[in-house]
Amino acid sequence: MPPSSPPRTSSYRWVICGLLFFSTTFNYLDRQVISYLKEYFCAPTSTGGFGWSDSDYSYLTSAFTFVYAGMTILAGWFIDKIGTKLGLALSLTLWSLFGALNAFVGRTLSMHIAVRSAFGVGEAGNFPASIKTVAEWFPKRERALATAIFNSGSNFGAMVAALLVPWCMIHYGDARGWKMAFIITGVSGFLWLIFWFWLYDPPGKKRLSQADYDYIHSDDEVPEEKSDEDRTKVSWLKLFEYRQTLAFAFGKFMTDGIWWFYLFWLPDYLKKQFGMTKHEVMLPTFIVYGVAIVGSIYGGAIPMTFIKRGMPVFTARMHAMFIIALCPLAVLLTQYFGDVARFGHMAAVLAVAMICIGGTAHQAWSANLFTTVSDMFPKKAVGSVIGIGTAAGGLGGVIVQLLKGGLGDHFKANPQTGYLIMFCICALSYLIAWSVMKALVPTHKPITDL
């Protein structure tokens, strides 16, 4: 068994992980803007708002999610074809551009949907490129941790949005603030490109020591290509023949929409459940995403504990994911603890604590779920499989968004009921996902015939 830490090797792979962290930060910062603008978009036109309903808002978020879902399949294939360096750069350029353009479309819902959909095309490339990069730069035993670290950028981006977007609305006023929020977050992403082109290349093109290169490939079970130049084409249609692909896709379908529910609807929940203002939602949402960073990184480290005890990598991953899938059951208590009549001023604190557990568990789950792909597939197919799974996750997100929008309008007089239904879904989805994944792939079966 290879040593747990490499002797006389550089830490440059962690610099690469840092670049992925910040690309994911910008990805979620730009994505999260819309949730803090919902109150203004759904305010009556007589008060200066857009006059949208909850369903209108869900059409906007689900349109983005739908396009994002469909494009991730093509994005994964495209990144496998052209390589991670150019693929991720093009992706960020596109989503940053359309994120900023969202400020110039006025109040018409259809125009917002069109621009937000184009924004989704760009955002679709981030995770296929990032997971492929981790597979290229890290040995298997470190991939969950590396994925957890870069994936925590989604929380950091959401934390920045929790402070930045309300600040824009307060500082510039509602009529200008929503535009400035889109412009500032969109333009800021272009700064990342400078560091990406300066610091990143695939391992085969970097002047790595032999010890570094050997360490990266130290626990490969099948021979891998040595650089992006050695790629062979992989048909993503053929990937659907494997249960491993279906298992990953189902895991994403059942759980991605839960995180998107937290992202797009948490500010709305806090306002309707506890009467919070746009100023007051800043701290609890900041806390939720901040705590989730800790869970993401720790969740990525759980399998390493099992691996050090002699457990095979994939078995360790599934053990960790089962433990993580139990944690969201705490979300079942959100509305109980959120009862102001019963718990008074502590109700918001207790309810947010339950959501913190759910959000933290999701990020830990996500880090490990992503890494199952590089456990089972050769590196040349990782981008395509991630694309397929992310598309499935996006489809699940569309369903969740439309369901929440419909529940919001149906239970308009009693929004707590709609949120109770949603929190039950959030609590149970992970155990369902784990059970089906385990049934599809009961033991580790790496793909060797691609």
Side-chain angles (χ1 to χ4, degrees):
M1 185 173 180
S4 58
S5 60
R8 292 188 292 277
T9 59
S10 73
S11 58
Y12 195 78
R13 63 190 181 281
W14 296 106
V15 174
I16 301 301
C17 187
L19 289 171
L20 300 179
F21 170 87
F22 283 107
S23 74
T24 305
T25 294
F26 286 117
N27 187 273
Y28 270 78
L29 170 60
D30 293 357
R31 186 183 307 192
Q32 184 70 355
V33 170
I34 199 74
S35 66
Y36 295 97
L37 302 179
K38 177 184 180 296
E39 181 182 22
Y40 178 64
F41 289 168
C42 293
T45 54
S46 59
T47 64
F50 287 12
W52 295 355
S53 66
D54 273 10
S55 290
D56 289 334
Y57 174 73
S58 74
Y59 297 151
L60 176 61
T61 58
S62 61
F64 157 75
T65 308
F66 179 78
V67 173
Y68 175 89
M71 287 305 299
T72 47
I73 296 180
L74 294 178
W77 170 83
F78 187 65
I79 287 164
D80 277 340
K81 186 175 179 64
I82 70 169
T84 49
K85 184 170 186 174
L86 183 58
L88 187 50
L90 290 174
S91 178
L92 183 134
T93 299
L94 190 60
W95 91 60
S96 296
L97 176 63
F98 280 98
L101 286 176
N102 222 144
F104 302 99
V105 296
R107 301 185 174 193
T108 307
L109 177 62
S110 59
M111 288 299 296
H112 277 273
I113 288 175
V115 173
R116 209 65 182 166
S117 296
F119 169 77
V121 174
E123 288 231 322
N126 184 71
F127 281 95
S130 296
I131 298 298
K132 183 176 177 66
T133 299
V134 168
E136 290 173 342
W137 273 93
F138 289 84
K140 287 187 178 182
R141 59 184 169 277
E142 289 184 348
R143 288 178 193 169
L145 179 59
T147 301
I149 291 172
F150 93 69
N151 189 51
S152 67
S154 62
N155 303 291
F156 188 66
M159 290 169 67
V160 175
L163 301 180
L164 177 62
V165 182
W167 178 85
C168 287
M169 300 296 283
I170 295 166
H171 184 76
Y172 293 103
D174 290 350
R176 288 184 61 209
W178 72 272
K179 297 180 180 180
M180 292 305 299
F182 281 124
I183 292 171
I184 292 172
T185 56
V187 171
S188 61
F190 289 105
L191 297 174
W192 175 88
L193 289 171
I194 299 171
F195 296 92
W196 181 247
F197 281 112
W198 172 34
L199 296 171
Y200 180 79
D201 268 312
K205 292 184 178 180
K206 277 287 178 186
R207 294 182 178 178
L208 296 178
S209 68
Q210 189 62 43
D212 282 321
Y213 189 84
D214 291 344
Y215 181 69
I216 291 171
H217 295 278
S218 60
D219 52 7
D220 287 348
E221 294 172 323
V222 294
E224 293 286 359
E225 65 272 19
K226 293 187 177 182
S227 74
D228 272 4
E229 300 299 323
D230 299 320
R231 290 184 307 274
T232 56
K233 293 183 179 180
V234 176
S235 168
W236 57 264
L237 289 175
K238 178 176 175 60
L239 294 173
F240 283 100
E241 300 174 7
Y242 298 102
R243 286 192 171 197
Q244 291 87 337
T245 304
L246 300 179
F248 174 69
F250 187 81
K252 295 287 284 180
F253 173 79
M254 287 298 300
T255 59
D256 270 18
I258 307 305
W259 182 242
W260 288 22
F261 165 70
Y262 293 140
L263 288 176
F264 291 141
W265 294 91
L266 179 56
D268 181 72
Y269 167 72
L270 295 172
K271 291 171 184 176
K272 290 180 177 176
Q273 182 78 16
F274 306 110
M276 292 185 182
T277 65
K278 66 170 67 75
H279 308 68
E280 293 169 333
V281 301
M282 294 168 69
L283 180 59
T285 52
F286 184 86
I287 291 172
V288 167
Y289 302 127
V291 172
I293 290 178
V294 178
S296 176
I297 296 174
Y298 178 70
I302 292 175
M304 294 180 69
T305 302
F306 293 129
I307 292 169
K308 288 177 181 178
R309 295 177 180 177
M311 191 177 291
V313 173
F314 184 77
T315 304
R317 197 93 64 214
M318 293 304 290
H319 274 64
M321 291 175 69
F322 178 73
I323 294 170
I324 294 165
L326 295 173
C327 296
L329 295 177
V331 179
L332 291 170
L333 298 173
T334 301
Q335 288 301 73
Y336 172 77
F337 285 129
D339 187 344
V340 177
R342 180 181 289 115
F343 293 100
H345 69 279
M346 286 298 295
V349 175
L350 294 170
V352 168
M354 298 302 103
I355 296 172
C356 280
I357 295 173
T360 300
H362 174 85
Q363 292 300 84
W365 166 273
S366 183
N368 282 282
L369 179 60
F370 273 131
T371 315
T372 61
V373 177
S374 56
D375 289 341
M376 296 184 291
F377 287 89
K379 293 172 189 176
K380 63 185 178 183
V382 166
S384 296
V385 178
I386 292 293
I388 292 169
T390 306
L395 179 59
V398 170
I399 295 171
V400 168
Q401 297 304 313
L402 293 177
L403 175 61
K404 177 59 195 76
L407 289 171
D409 287 339
H410 184 75
F411 293 106
K412 194 169 186 178
N414 185 24
Q416 291 82 2
T417 302
Y419 276 107
L420 174 62
I421 295 171
M422 292 305 302
F423 286 132
C424 289
I425 295 171
C426 293
L428 299 173
S429 293
Y430 299 86
L431 281 174
I432 295 172
W434 187 91
S435 299
V436 174
M437 290 176 65
K438 185 66 174 174
L440 286 170
V441 186
T443 59
H444 183 35
K445 295 180 180 179
I447 304 299
T448 60
D449 57 346
L450 284 176

